[in-house]
């Protein structure tokens, strides 16, 4: 960018940003190049879902936003903006849950798109209703949950991560971007690892939800793509093996 | 430059551009420059030279172009590079085109339709070519709905996978037209999958001509094939779809 055409104040404003973001990127990549490379393989799997659900107008409405939240979470974290990276995850998860709900509620979806709020439906804390009862009663989620000791495993895990990452939106004291000793965003190994865990977990729950909810479409996709998605995005060994068992059960119905 | 960049460059210079220029004069005879043709193209974030080339030759401008790519990241890059082009699509064109809510449909007709599947990084899998051809037929049908003539470019890699003629004909014949008696309806054996690339090219040419006839177009077809590594071939055809005179009179 040619800065000379801008005022000195704007040049300084931009240069400050350029300096700290460049320094943070550089420090993050020096310490975690391979991890970033691996994590950046995850957002493109929303191409797979956009293709798989290309006949679902609700999905087509939501996937660019879901993809972008996931993509920007990596970008923000690499710049040392951990709070904003985690806020993206909360937005990504909320959009996914909304998309699943609205896919089967076209009337409510239309209201929501047009900004119409109906008391008790679209203006509730969550459009899908209280707690996660809506999701917990969906057949394929019940089947997946039945493979765990905790018979509500996936939903309880989603509840936990949702509540954790929401703290970054609602400004709880421990989720500040700045600290008393430093206000400049910079690479921090502890913050990076904390974000990475949340990123991985959020992607995992989102893809497991999508596979279970849209299994009829998922099973028609190319087997290499399906295997790749599960391999890259579902890393927890319990989740991975129980998801495969569930897929087998569903395929044999 | 990758092998695909070289191939695309050759197709543009030797086949696409001469045909598109000629048709540009036919569609907009009064303007020598700034023809502002409506263009739809499947393009690539790393190689969108067909767009640059059409613009440079005075055939169109960014605002008149609709471009499609199958990936979020690729679209972000294209939107950044070509800020006035209209971008659609985040999924495979050949999958999306069959959906009832296919958004591009509202933007037909186009003067130039470039279905370059080669630049969409096609997975070299069984059944790909069949889907692409059905995507091609649906595209022609949208153009027909608006009763409009166009230049239709179709480009695809041909590799070791067989071509299932029966599947293509079944799918195509499912899209009924009152006068139409069927795709490649000359009593040939369609049950044997075709593996020879030269034979595939001959059949592709026949299919393209047949599709045109099905939708009341007469066609002038030009083709070019370029060898790729591992015995594959990059095939490209340009069909100039003109209103069939007897149909127009009816």
């Amino acid at each position: 960018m040619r800065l000379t055409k801008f005022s000195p104040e704007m040049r300084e404003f931009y240069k400050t940003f350029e300096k700290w973001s460049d320094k943070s990127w550089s420090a993050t990549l020096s310490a975690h190049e391979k991890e970033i490379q691996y994590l950046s393989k995850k957002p493109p799997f929303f191409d797979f879902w956009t293709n798989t659900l290309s006949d679902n107008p609700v999905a087509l409405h939501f996937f660019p936003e879901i993809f972008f939240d996931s993509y920007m979470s990596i970008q923000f974290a690499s710049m040392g903006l951990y709070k904003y990276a985690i806020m993206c995850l909360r937005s990504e998860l909320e959009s996914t849950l909304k998309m699943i709900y609205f896919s089967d509620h076209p009337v409510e979806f239309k209201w929501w798109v047009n900004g119409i709020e109906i008391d008790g439906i679209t203006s509730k804390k969550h459009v899908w209703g209280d707690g996660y009862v809506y999701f917990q009663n969906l057949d394929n989620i019940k089947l997946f949950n039945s493979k765990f000791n905790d018979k509500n495993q996936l939903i309880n895990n989603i509840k936990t991560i949702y509540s954790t990452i929401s703290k970054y939106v609602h400004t709880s004291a421990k989720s500040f971007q700045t600290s008393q000793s430093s206000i400049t965003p910079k690479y921090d190994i502890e913050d990076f690892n904390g974000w990475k865990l949340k990123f991985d977990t959020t992607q995992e729950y989102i893809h497991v939800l999508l596979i279970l909810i849209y299994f009829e479409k998922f099973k028609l996709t190319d087997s290499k793509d399906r295997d790749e998605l599960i391999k890259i995005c579902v890393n927890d060994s319990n989740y991975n093996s129980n998801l495969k068992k569930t897929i087998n059960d569903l395929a044999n119905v | 430059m990758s092998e695909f960049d070289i191939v695309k460059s050759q197709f543009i210079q030797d086949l696409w551009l001469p045909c598109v220029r000629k048709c540009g004069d036919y569609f907009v005879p009064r303007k020598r420059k700034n023809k502002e043709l409506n263009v739809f193209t499947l393009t690539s974030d790393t190689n969108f030279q067909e767009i640059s080339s059409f613009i440079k030759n005075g055939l169109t401008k960014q605002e008149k172009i609709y471009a499609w790519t199958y990936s979020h990241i690729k679209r972000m890059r294209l939107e950044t590079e070509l800020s006035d082009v209209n971008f659609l699509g985040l999924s495979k064109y050949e999958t999306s085109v069959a959906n009832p809510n296919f958004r591009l449909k509202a933007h037909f007709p186009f003067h130039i339709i470039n279905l370059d599947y080669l630049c969409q990084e096609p997975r070299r899998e069984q059944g790909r070519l069949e889907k692409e051809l059905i995507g091609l037929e649906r595209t022609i049908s949208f153009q027909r709905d608006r009763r409009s003539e166009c230049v239709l470019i179709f480009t695809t890699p041909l590799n070791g996978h067989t071509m299932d003629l029966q599947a293509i004909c079944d799918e195509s014949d499912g899209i009924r037209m009152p006068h139409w008696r069927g795709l490649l309806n000359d009593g040939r054996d369609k049950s044997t999958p075709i593996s020879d690339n030269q034979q595939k090219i001959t059949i592709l040419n026949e299919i393209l001509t047949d599709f045109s006839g099905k939708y009341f177009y007469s066609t002038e077809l030009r083709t070019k094939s370029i060898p790729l590594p591992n015995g594959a071939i990059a095939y490209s055809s340009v069909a100039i779809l003109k209103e069939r005179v007897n149909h127009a009179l009816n």
Side-chain angles (χ1 to χ4, degrees), chain B residues 55-85:
Chain B
I55 293 174
K56 202 174 144 193
N57 279 275
L59 295 161
T60 188
K61 58 180 183 178
Q62 284 202 23
E63 292 84 345
K64 304 291 275 183
I65 299 173
Y66 283 81
W68 185 286
T69 188
Y70 67 92
S71 134
H72 289 83
I73 289 180
K74 289 175 186 302
R75 182 159 154 188
M76 277 170 62
R77 183 159 174 199
L78 278 164
E79 284 177 348
T80 311
E81 297 274 0
L82 303 164
S83 52
D84 291 326
V85 168

Side-chain angles (χ1 to χ4, degrees), chain A residues 47 50-51 54 71 222 225, chain B residues 71-72 76 91-92 99 123:
Chain A
D47 293 346
T50 309
N51 206 41
S54 64
Y71 173 83
D222 187 86
D225 292 340
Chain B
S71 134
H72 289 83
M76 277 170 62
S91 54
K92 294 277 184 193
N99 293 329
R123 292 274 293 270

